[in-house]
Amino acid sequence: RAPAEGQTLYPLAHVFSENWSYGEQYVDISVPTPTVAELAAKGAGASRSGPAITMVPGDFVETYKKGGSGHRKFDAIVTCFFLDTVVDIAQLVDVLDDLLDEGGVWVNVGPLNWRKEARMKLNWDEMLAIWKGRGYTFHCQERLDCDYHLERGRKMYTESYLCTLTSATKQGGKA
């Protein structure tokens, strides 16, 4: 457990390649308190049952599908570097859609760097067509330059993506 004043971590101390200097390898970050769990507990009095934020290890689809241990309705869902991690994108879209009531907001940021086991490797226009077909209205659709693990210049090599940043509201019924 982190102390009340926060905890100092050295996230790159174990990475001995592609460093500009020891100063870059041993960069420190401070993790503040309160913890995410404490913040979630404070927000638990919202209109929905359960905590305001959840972080659950395991298979998302198995946990949040109808009948799954985490299935419930959310006011908003954020997917961050997530859509392209599944084998069956149609199944994930079904689960995400079922977790939102009419008026619920979906925010997404990330690339479509599909894993090799993916059954379908859709482009972004195809993804939009699926969501619009389910009755979602898009408010924001931008291309966003994202550095994946670290900002450019911190290491000699950094993964970067040109991602989609979108937000949409679930409307009544399918289009």
Side-chain angles (χ1 to χ4, degrees), residues 19-114:
N19 294 308
W20 292 106
S21 68
Y22 286 121
E24 295 296 329
Q25 182 177 357
Y26 295 102
V27 65
D28 63 331
I29 62 166
S30 179
V31 179
T33 53
T35 65
V36 172
E38 291 167 336
L39 291 173
K42 288 180 183 177
S47 62
R48 303 273 185 194
S49 63
I53 184 172
T54 61
M55 293 193 298
V56 180
D59 184 305
F60 181 87
V61 170
E62 288 301 312
T63 301
Y64 288 99
K65 69 182 181 183
K66 282 185 181 174
S69 62
H71 185 269
R72 61 189 173 112
K73 295 295 184 177
F74 292 87
D75 295 320
I77 295 176
V78 176
T79 52
C80 180
F81 280 73
F82 182 64
L83 298 179
D84 57 358
T85 66
V86 297
V87 171
D88 189 342
I89 187 62
Q91 186 180 36
L92 177 63
V93 169
D94 285 342
V95 171
L96 289 170
D97 181 53
D98 189 54
L99 294 173
L100 288 173
D101 275 332
E102 184 176 335
V105 176
W106 172 54
V107 177
N108 176 67
V109 63
L112 292 178
N113 185 21
W114 298 103

Side-chain angles (χ1 to χ4, degrees), residues 109-129:
V109 63
L112 292 178
N113 185 21
W114 298 103
R115 60 190 289 176
K116 66 180 180 178
E117 300 88 0
R119 293 185 182 140
M120 293 185 289
K121 297 179 180 179
L122 305 178
N123 64 46
W124 187 246
D125 285 340
E126 292 170 318
M127 292 291 295
L128 285 174

